[in-house]
């Protein structure tokens, strides 16, 4: 009678655990100091080919205002940002959403 058989599934699970994706939710406080209203903001992992949904929805972050945005299903930390402003400007940037709890938009 082998005593190791019941431990095989536990051993396999322990070996595979570091490779499992851990999707988290991150909140980022966006501080708009640009001088122009921020009307749309997209964020996607740098490895994604497409932009995800607009993080602001119907909300506009006025110049001087703040907004908390939620990024769901974060499995990697480095994100590309794409921001659209009321004057038509389109500004790309990059942020580490795991290390930062806020992001300031500046001129």
């Amino acid at each position: 009678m082998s005593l190791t058989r019941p431990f095989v599934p536990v051993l396999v699970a322990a070996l595979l655990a570091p490779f499992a994706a851990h999707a988290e939710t991150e909140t980022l406080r966006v501080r708009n100091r640009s001088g122009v209203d921020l009307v749309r903001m997209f964020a996607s992992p740098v490895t994604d080919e497409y932009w995800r949904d607009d993080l602001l929805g119907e909300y506009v972050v006025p110049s001087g205002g703040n907004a908390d945005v939620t990024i769901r299903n974060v499995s990697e930390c480095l994100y590309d940002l794409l921001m659209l402003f009321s004057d038509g400007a389109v500004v790309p940037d990059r942020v580490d959403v795991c290390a930062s709890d806020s992001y300031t938009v500046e001129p």
Side-chain angles (χ1 to χ4, degrees):
M1 179 175 187
S2 173
L3 295 176
T4 60
R5 181 168 273 214
F7 298 106
V8 171
V10 173
L11 178 61
V12 170
L15 291 173
L16 293 178
F19 301 105
H22 297 288
E24 299 287 330
T25 299
E26 298 289 343
T27 300
L28 193 65
R29 170 152 293 178
V30 177
R31 297 182 172 122
N32 184 5
R33 306 298 180 261
S34 68
V36 182
D37 293 348
L38 176 62
V39 296
R40 298 184 83 183
M41 182 175 189
F42 301 92
S44 292
V46 296
T47 57
D48 275 12
E49 187 175 335
Y50 302 101
W51 291 107
R52 293 187 180 179
D53 293 336
D54 179 10
L55 295 173
L56 299 177
E58 297 296 319
Y59 187 72
V60 172
V61 185
S63 179
N66 302 324
D68 291 334
V69 296
T70 301
I71 302 173
R72 301 186 195 294
N73 301 319
V74 175
S75 59
E76 56 188 272
C77 294
L78 199 56
Y79 270 66
D80 284 328
L81 301 177
L82 185 66
M83 296 164 284
L84 287 74
F85 294 87
S86 60
D87 66 354
V90 177
V91 178
D93 205 352
R94 188 167 280 176
V95 66
D96 183 336
V97 298
C98 301
S100 303
D101 60 354
S102 68
Y103 174 82
T104 301
V105 183
E106 297 178 310

